[in-house]
Amino acid sequence: MLTITRRATFAAAHRLYRSDWNDARNEAVFGRCANPGGHGHNYVLEVTVGGDLDPETGMIADLKWVKEVMDRHVIDHVDHRNLNADVEILHGVIPTAENLARVFWHRLVGPISEQARLVRVRVQETENNSATYEEP
Amino acid sequence: MLTITRRATFAAAHRLYRSDWNDARNEAVFGRCANPGGHGHNYVLEVTVGGDLDPETGMIADLKWVKEVMDRHVIDHVDHRNLNADVEILHGVIPTAENLARVFWHRLVGPISEQARLVRVRVQETENNSATYEEP
Amino acid sequence: MLTITRRATFAAAHRLYRSDWNDARNEAVFGRCANPGGHGHNYVLEVTVGGDLDPETGMIADLKWVKEVMDRHVIDHVDHRNLNADVEILHGVIPTAENLARVFWHRLVGPISEQARLVRVRVQETENNSATYEEP
Amino acid sequence: MLTITRRATFAAAHRLYRSDWNDARNEAVFGRCANPGGHGHNYVLEVTVGGDLDPETGMIADLKWVKEVMDRHVIDHVDHRNLNADVEILHGVIPTAENLARVFWHRLVGPISEQARLVRVRVQETENNSATYEEP
Amino acid sequence: MLTITRRATFAAAHRLYRSDWNDARNEAVFGRCANPGGHGHNYVLEVTVGGDLDPETGMIADLKWVKEVMDRHVIDHVDHRNLNADVEILHGVIPTAENLARVFWHRLVGPISEQARLVRVRVQETENNSATYEEP
Amino acid sequence: MLTITRRATFAAAHRLYRSDWNDARNEAVFGRCANPGGHGHNYVLEVTVGGDLDPETGMIADLKWVKEVMDRHVIDHVDHRNLNADVEILHGVIPTAENLARVFWHRLVGPISEQARLVRVRVQETENNSATYEEP
């Protein structure tokens, strides 16, 4: 199986909390990630795409096109934004790394399927934490 | 000249804007960094300390002590915080990388001088951007 | 499939050799890794955990809890230790990267299963070498 | 399943184009990667090998031997070379990351099978782009 | 002294040789870097700029403007190019890391001086090699 | 001022303690770095060399020669060794990062001066700790 992976970055603010919980419960579950003013990360998004090798071009899909799909469907919506307040595609979603990976997968799987197959979406939050969504 | 450098990280939200400017002027000067909801970064703080080598220990200063000074005077104030709203040591300061380096220098220069000499404070905002404050 | 990965580091000394072999055979098989005084590494441990997304928290498992499990069952036993001499959980084991990945998997699979499912344990020894243990 | 991964680097020039296409078509498909003088990369090659743990040595295969196989069958052919002009093992192949991963897999699968099983070949072209060839 | 540093990357081919030397002498001096087909690198360019902090903006200079100057005067000329054949600003220059740092400094020092002061230009060729040009 | 920097790595065991101190005092000063069995690191050594640009070659000094000097005078003595027990050039020296930088400087300054000028020696012990020795 042959895949290509494209990496992109975005900077965003987020806060982990539920408005239907009180502060004590939010802090018990989410710790300092529930601090009222929020915090933020330099996120890394890695998208892995599989498919047949086009014998004429030696490519599965043009990596520039993969980047454009990532920009149009994910990065342009989240970069330099507050993930809790400003991002329609995350409305009603607690912006954990897991949820970002899951939402971004569903944003990308359709557009990528026009030329290839989406295999994996990885969202790295810090040098120590990441979440990955893969096809079943 | 012999120095040691200690690296630490913190995650914070920030927004570049002035409340005495209107939105158009903030956007003209600060671009998307002025987006109302703010964004955030995984900041890297590197503190460089010089001094004489203690012949008994082979150390300029204990790196664990340097880390404790960094935690107590900087990291504990900014980690998982909103640099515009929640951080007393940055009150009234536009949280650019330059200002962070400058403010952190002045927070650290006294405490570090108890055992050594502060030589350089570097604040990395993204993999592409950083600011450095050095002694004259 | 959704997973989260937590990274941690530890510094340890090790030596690859068998006491039931003579020096020449140890050197023939293990090369300079058999040097009598041993050497060491900054190891990186990456633990990948899968499971269902808790709809209330948006998390598979709390990454802080994953880190605590890693600390209690692995890191606290090996960090700043000599893997040949000081580490009970590695008693009788040649401390290759492969064996570390295998032993750490068996240390972690039970505790992690209390809240999620252990998917992968990766041990990086140097920037060029690593070993990975995955579920069958 | 237990695997080990070995990383190596090489520096090479390449150009993406087909001599049976005119310049306009080459540029339309390959963009600036078709620039006539070519360009280049610091490539990273990661080779993952699986197998049974030898109970006597605690190893799947000697990582030094894996490195020698990588050098003899891949690195020595491509390092400090022009992938379009100078490399016999890439003759007639458009040197995309996908094709490099595929060709290197077929170069390595035989020699590695003498002691273990080739599981994955990953070729990283830049910090943002990579291709991976895995066993079916 | 306060400085900011901006990092950018470019991919280029190069070859170290002199046309007024024969092959044997080129190979004796430049080794495999003189291979006829050339090779290439993912270069990293880091530009450090100093100046007074503008009290109104908290910035020495807008990092986006620094990036634009880097793009217009350096990156656009060298990215995805052959440094020996295609780059007018390197005409007649052996493209060593030292010469790149020196030439890029002289390209940038004028434009940067419109708003700040150029302090350092660093060109990284591989993860092991770099050259730096600093003000006297 | 023009400089080049060469990076190399070595893996070594070390322990911070003084045999003329008892265990309690060693632990009070050196903490877990005094653990009896020792621990280890993947060290990174960066050597910076300055000088005039040779107009014929475009080089300050051949980076391959710098690497050979580093190997012969430092790396070959410390790689895959125990810095307390096996390394003559560190005899009687507590192997702190500071002392390594200082000793390596004095090992390298003579040999480098045959073709250039030693400017800086940096020893990185972990991703968070390093020491640097520079010319006065």
Side-chain angles (χ1 to χ4, degrees):
Chain A
M1 187 181 75
L2 193 56
T3 59
I4 49 176
T5 297
R6 177 81 195 191
R7 174 185 175 275
T9 62
F10 62 96
H14 82 154
R15 180 192 175 195
L16 303 186
Y17 78 109
R18 295 183 63 94
S19 55
D20 56 343
W21 287 359
N22 63 19
D23 286 357
R25 188 168 176 198
N26 271 306
E27 198 190 327
V29 172
F30 296 114
R32 59 188 184 169
C33 294
N35 282 352
H39 59 286
H41 299 293
N42 301 321
Y43 289 92
V44 180
L45 171 64
E46 285 177 2
V47 172
T48 300
V49 166
D52 296 326
L53 199 65
D54 180 331
E56 232 186 356
T57 62
M59 302 194 293
I60 291 174
D62 186 346
L63 280 159
K64 287 192 307 294
W65 172 80
V66 176
K67 179 59 160 56
E68 284 163 17
V69 171
M70 291 164 68
D71 282 349
R72 193 164 58 247
H73 294 278
V74 176
I75 301 290
D76 292 349
H77 296 257
V78 292
D79 191 24
H80 281 76
R81 302 281 171 186
N82 184 310
L83 302 183
N84 299 77
D86 303 339
V87 179
E88 203 181 337
I89 66 173
L90 292 168
H91 188 73
V93 174
I94 302 173
T96 57
E98 291 94 318
N99 267 334
L100 297 187
R102 184 181 60 82
V103 170
F104 295 169
W105 169 279
H106 288 103
R107 293 281 304 169
L108 293 166
V109 69
I112 289 292
S113 72
E114 287 167 28
Q115 293 194 23
R117 184 171 42 85
L118 187 59
V119 171
R120 194 181 304 113
V121 170
R122 181 173 172 269
V123 175
Q124 185 179 325
E125 211 177 56
T126 69
E127 62 190 16
N128 290 329
N129 293 345
S130 67
T132 301
Y133 195 97
E134 297 182 76
E135 60 183 0
Chain B
M1 189 181 75
L2 193 55
T3 59
I4 49 176
T5 297
R6 177 80 194 191
R7 173 186 176 273
T9 61
F10 63 96
H14 82 154
R15 179 191 177 197
L16 302 187
Y17 78 109
R18 294 183 65 94
S19 56
D20 56 343
W21 289 357
N22 62 19
D23 286 358
R25 188 168 175 196
N26 272 305
E27 198 189 327
V29 172
F30 296 115
R32 58 189 185 169
C33 294
N35 281 353
H39 58 286
H41 299 293
N42 300 322
Y43 289 92
V44 180
L45 171 63
E46 285 176 4
V47 172
T48 299
V49 166
D52 296 326
L53 199 64
D54 180 333
E56 233 185 356
T57 62
M59 302 194 294
I60 291 174
D62 186 347
L63 281 159
K64 289 193 306 296
W65 172 80
V66 176
K67 179 58 161 54
E68 285 162 17
V69 171
M70 290 163 68
D71 282 349
R72 194 163 60 248
H73 294 279
V74 175
I75 301 290
D76 292 349
H77 297 258
V78 292
D79 191 24
H80 281 74
R81 301 284 170 183
N82 184 312
L83 303 184
N84 298 77
D86 302 340
V87 179
E88 203 182 336
I89 67 173
L90 292 169
H91 187 73
V93 174
I94 301 173
T96 56
E98 290 95 317
N99 267 334
L100 298 186
R102 184 180 61 83
V103 169
F104 296 170
W105 170 279
H106 288 104
R107 293 284 302 169
L108 294 166
V109 68
I112 290 292
S113 72
E114 288 168 27
Q115 292 193 25
R117 183 171 44 86
L118 187 59
V119 170
R120 194 180 303 114
V121 170
R122 181 174 173 269
V123 174
Q124 185 179 326
E125 211 178 57
T126 70
E127 62 191 15
N128 290 330
N129 292 345
S130 67
T132 301
Y133 194 98
E134 296 181 78
E135 57 183 2
Chain C
M1 189 181 73
L2 192 56
T3 58
I4 48 176
T5 297
R6 178 80 194 190
R7 174 185 176 274
T9 62
F10 63 96
H14 82 152
R15 180 191 176 197
L16 302 186
Y17 78 111
R18 296 184 62 94
S19 56
D20 57 344
W21 288 359
N22 62 20
D23 286 358
R25 188 167 176 199
N26 272 305
E27 198 190 327
V29 172
F30 297 115
R32 58 189 185 168
C33 294
N35 282 352
H39 58 287
H41 299 293
N42 301 321
Y43 289 92
V44 180
L45 172 63
E46 285 177 2
V47 173
T48 300
V49 166
D52 296 327
L53 199 64
D54 180 332
E56 234 186 353
T57 62
M59 301 194 293
I60 291 173
D62 186 346
L63 280 160
K64 287 192 308 295
W65 172 81
V66 176
K67 178 58 162 54
E68 283 162 17
V69 171
M70 291 163 67
D71 282 349
R72 193 163 59 249
H73 294 278
V74 176
I75 301 290
D76 292 349
H77 297 256
V78 293
D79 190 24
H80 281 76
R81 302 283 171 186
N82 184 312
L83 303 183
N84 298 77
D86 303 339
V87 179
E88 204 182 335
I89 67 172
L90 292 169
H91 188 73
V93 174
I94 302 173
T96 56
E98 291 95 318
N99 266 336
L100 297 187
R102 184 181 60 83
V103 170
F104 296 169
W105 170 279
H106 288 104
R107 293 282 304 169
L108 293 167
V109 69
I112 289 292
S113 72
E114 287 169 28
Q115 293 193 24
R117 183 171 43 85
L118 187 59
V119 170
R120 193 180 304 113
V121 170
R122 180 172 173 270
V123 174
Q124 185 180 326
E125 212 176 55
T126 70
E127 61 189 16
N128 291 330
N129 293 344
S130 67
T132 301
Y133 194 97
E134 297 182 76
E135 60 183 0
Chain D
M1 188 181 74
L2 193 55
T3 59
I4 49 176
T5 297
R6 178 80 193 191
R7 173 185 175 276
T9 61
F10 63 96
H14 82 153
R15 180 190 176 196
L16 303 186
Y17 78 111
R18 296 184 62 93
S19 56
D20 57 344
W21 288 359
N22 62 19
D23 286 358
R25 189 167 175 197
N26 272 306
E27 198 190 326
V29 172
F30 295 115
R32 57 188 185 170
C33 294
N35 282 353
H39 58 287
H41 300 293
N42 300 322
Y43 289 92
V44 180
L45 171 63
E46 285 176 4
V47 172
T48 299
V49 165
D52 295 327
L53 199 64
D54 181 331
E56 233 186 354
T57 62
M59 302 194 294
I60 291 173
D62 187 346
L63 280 160
K64 286 193 308 295
W65 171 81
V66 176
K67 179 58 162 53
E68 284 162 16
V69 171
M70 290 163 67
D71 282 350
R72 193 163 59 248
H73 294 278
V74 176
I75 301 289
D76 292 349
H77 297 257
V78 292
D79 191 23
H80 281 74
R81 302 282 171 187
N82 184 312
L83 303 183
N84 298 77
D86 302 339
V87 179
E88 204 182 335
I89 66 173
L90 292 169
H91 187 74
V93 174
I94 301 173
T96 57
E98 291 95 318
N99 266 335
L100 298 186
R102 184 180 60 81
V103 169
F104 295 170
W105 169 279
H106 288 104
R107 294 280 305 168
L108 294 167
V109 68
I112 289 291
S113 72
E114 287 168 29
Q115 293 193 23
R117 183 172 42 86
L118 187 59
V119 171
R120 193 181 304 114
V121 170
R122 180 173 173 270
V123 174
Q124 186 179 325
E125 211 177 56
T126 69
E127 63 190 16
N128 291 331
N129 293 345
S130 67
T132 301
Y133 194 98
E134 297 182 77
E135 60 183 0
Chain E
M1 188 181 77
L2 193 55
T3 58
I4 49 176
T5 298
R6 178 79 194 191
R7 174 187 176 272
T9 62
F10 63 95
H14 82 152
R15 180 192 177 197
L16 302 187
Y17 78 111
R18 295 182 63 93
S19 55
D20 57 343
W21 289 358
N22 63 18
D23 286 359
R25 188 166 175 198
N26 271 306
E27 198 189 329
V29 172
F30 296 115
R32 58 187 186 172
C33 294
N35 283 352
H39 58 287
H41 300 293
N42 301 321
Y43 289 92
V44 180
L45 171 63
E46 285 175 5
V47 173
T48 300
V49 165
D52 296 326
L53 199 64
D54 179 332
E56 233 185 357
T57 62
M59 302 196 292
I60 291 173
D62 186 347
L63 280 159
K64 288 192 307 297
W65 171 80
V66 176
K67 179 59 162 53
E68 284 162 17
V69 171
M70 290 164 68
D71 282 349
R72 193 163 60 247
H73 293 279
V74 176
I75 301 291
D76 292 349
H77 296 258
V78 292
D79 191 24
H80 281 75
R81 301 282 170 185
N82 184 312
L83 303 183
N84 299 77
D86 303 340
V87 179
E88 204 181 337
I89 66 172
L90 293 168
H91 188 72
V93 174
I94 301 174
T96 56
E98 290 95 317
N99 266 334
L100 298 186
R102 183 180 61 82
V103 169
F104 296 169
W105 169 280
H106 288 104
R107 293 282 304 169
L108 294 166
V109 68
I112 289 292
S113 72
E114 287 168 27
Q115 293 194 24
R117 184 172 43 87
L118 186 59
V119 170
R120 194 182 302 114
V121 170
R122 181 174 172 268
V123 174
Q124 185 179 325
E125 211 177 56
T126 70
E127 64 190 13
N128 291 331
N129 292 345
S130 67
T132 300
Y133 194 97
E134 297 182 77
E135 59 183 1
Chain F
M1 188 182 75
L2 192 56
T3 58
I4 49 176
T5 297
R6 177 81 195 190
R7 174 186 176 274
T9 62
F10 63 96
H14 82 155
R15 179 191 177 198
L16 302 187
Y17 78 111
R18 295 183 64 93
S19 56
D20 56 344
W21 288 359
N22 62 20
D23 286 358
R25 188 167 174 197
N26 272 304
E27 198 190 326
V29 171
F30 296 115
R32 58 189 185 169
C33 294
N35 282 352
H39 59 287
H41 299 293
N42 300 322
Y43 289 91
V44 180
L45 171 63
E46 284 175 3
V47 173
T48 299
V49 166
D52 296 327
L53 199 64
D54 180 332
E56 233 185 355
T57 62
M59 302 195 292
I60 290 173
D62 185 348
L63 280 159
K64 289 192 306 297
W65 171 80
V66 176
K67 179 58 161 54
E68 284 162 17
V69 171
M70 290 164 66
D71 282 349
R72 192 163 61 249
H73 294 278
V74 176
I75 302 289
D76 292 349
H77 297 258
V78 293
D79 191 24
H80 281 73
R81 301 284 170 184
N82 184 312
L83 303 184
N84 299 77
D86 303 340
V87 179
E88 204 182 336
I89 66 173
L90 293 168
H91 188 73
V93 174
I94 302 173
T96 56
E98 290 95 318
N99 267 333
L100 297 186
R102 184 180 60 83
V103 170
F104 295 170
W105 169 280
H106 288 103
R107 293 283 303 170
L108 293 167
V109 69
I112 289 292
S113 71
E114 287 168 28
Q115 293 193 24
R117 183 171 44 86
L118 187 59
V119 170
R120 194 182 302 113
V121 169
R122 181 173 173 268
V123 175
Q124 186 179 326
E125 212 178 56
T126 70
E127 62 190 15
N128 291 330
N129 293 345
S130 67
T132 301
Y133 194 98
E134 297 181 76
E135 58 183 2

